[in-house]
Amino acid sequence: DAGVIQSPRHEVTEMGQEVTLRCKPISGHNSLFWYRQTMMRGLELLIYFNNNVPIDDSGMPEDRFSAKMPNASFSTLKIQPSEPRDSAVYFCASSFGAEEQYFGPGTRLTVT
Amino acid sequence: GESVGLHLPTLSVQEGDNSIINCAYSNSASDYFIWYKQESGKGPQFIIDIRSNMDKRQGQRVTVLLNKTVKHLSLQIAATQPGDSAVYFCAGTSGTYKYIFGTGTRLKVLA
């Protein structure tokens, strides 16, 4: 089992550019989560999908953030336009139902 | 690796000693708890979990204690090894997908 796969691992971009983060959950898992981790705020849940449907996006900071899950094996988190305050580590996690969440290695985003 | 937090509380222990990491939670409705370990450059990894109908659960070299009266969790690591150096988070939920994560404790193992 390859675990949760995220790409890219590191992203450096300039303010105003579009950023797309990608996630492949563990096969068979029906829940997918996007988190953001910063020094100041720790781990924050951005959005939760169940069976490919967004259930809770109350953690998405603002309209510049959007997430999609077109099928059970792929999800994207997009930031457009990006800002320096978006710099953080973004984690994707998956689970089966309410069982423990398995995290990917994260994408370290730096917006200059 | 990814930066977790430069201002996390830090616990330094001698290799071979036991470690105890503490976590307080505020939601009395929380009924399921997990301890995660996050090494530099990696995502959080599941260590052990406990449900609210239990006071104690043991794994391999790890034990989680739950005190619901004072809303406190602890993670005990026996015979701490250099590979245990990481940031440890507790997380709790009241039966839904929404986990509340603690801020974390950095464990440093001294040779």
Side-chain angles (χ1 to χ4, degrees):
Chain A
D1 188 349
V4 176
I5 299 172
Q6 289 186 249
S7 64
R9 292 296 312 276
H10 302 273
E11 177 81 35
V12 180
T13 191
E14 292 184 345
M15 183 173 63
Q17 296 298 305
E18 177 180 296
V19 174
T20 299
L21 311 181
R22 296 173 177 81
C23 174
K24 177 178 167 52
I26 291 172
S27 178
H29 282 186
N30 62 355
S31 298
L32 184 138
F33 309 81
W34 281 101
Y35 288 91
R36 177 171 66 178
Q37 186 177 48
T38 62
M39 286 189 287
M40 295 301 296
R41 302 170 71 97
L43 266 170
E44 301 174 280
L45 177 64
L46 300 177
I47 188 168
Y48 158 59
F49 290 88
N50 183 254
N51 293 322
N52 313 338
V53 176
I55 303 299
D56 182 355
D57 65 354
S58 59
M60 296 285 262
E62 46 200 272
D63 292 345
R64 297 184 299 106
F65 285 68
S66 62
K68 293 182 180 178
M69 191 164 186
N71 57 61
S73 58
F74 184 66
S75 177
T76 59
L77 177 68
K78 186 177 292 187
I79 308 173
Q80 165 64 19
S82 58
E83 296 182 4
R85 61 193 167 119
D86 302 330
S87 296
V89 180
Y90 291 81
F91 288 105
C92 176
S94 71
S95 71
F96 183 74
E99 296 180 1
E100 65 264 21
Q101 297 175 21
Y102 292 83
F103 285 76
T107 296
R108 185 178 197 179
L109 174 65
T110 304
V111 183
T112 60
Chain B
E2 289 82 4
S3 174
V4 174
L6 296 178
H7 304 292
L8 292 174
T10 298
L11 174 67
S12 296
V13 297
Q14 210 63 40
E15 181 178 354
D17 287 353
N18 296 335
S19 303
I20 300 176
I21 300 170
N22 297 304
C23 177
Y25 62 96
S26 57
N27 184 1
S28 56
S30 295
D31 59 4
Y32 178 63
F33 303 88
I34 295 178
W35 277 100
Y36 282 96
K37 172 186 180 183
Q38 187 173 19
E39 297 174 274
S40 181
K42 296 183 180 179
Q45 297 171 273
F46 172 90
I47 303 174
I48 191 168
D49 60 357
I50 188 168
R51 298 198 179 274
S52 59
N53 60 352
M54 303 171 71
D55 297 322
K56 178 179 179 179
R57 188 151 191 241
Q58 287 185 288
Q60 188 178 15
R61 278 202 311 118
V62 294
T63 301
V64 56
L65 299 178
L66 174 61
N67 185 329
K68 295 179 287 293
T69 303
V70 296
K71 291 186 278 190
H72 183 267
L73 273 170
S74 68
L75 177 70
Q76 301 178 358
I77 304 173
T80 312
Q81 301 168 0
D84 296 327
S85 292
V87 175
Y88 290 81
F89 296 92
C90 67
T93 180
S94 53
T96 73
Y97 61 88
K98 210 153 197 173
Y99 284 77
I100 305 299
F101 288 85
T103 52
T105 297
R106 188 182 304 278
L107 176 64
K108 284 189 177 178
V109 181
L110 309 172

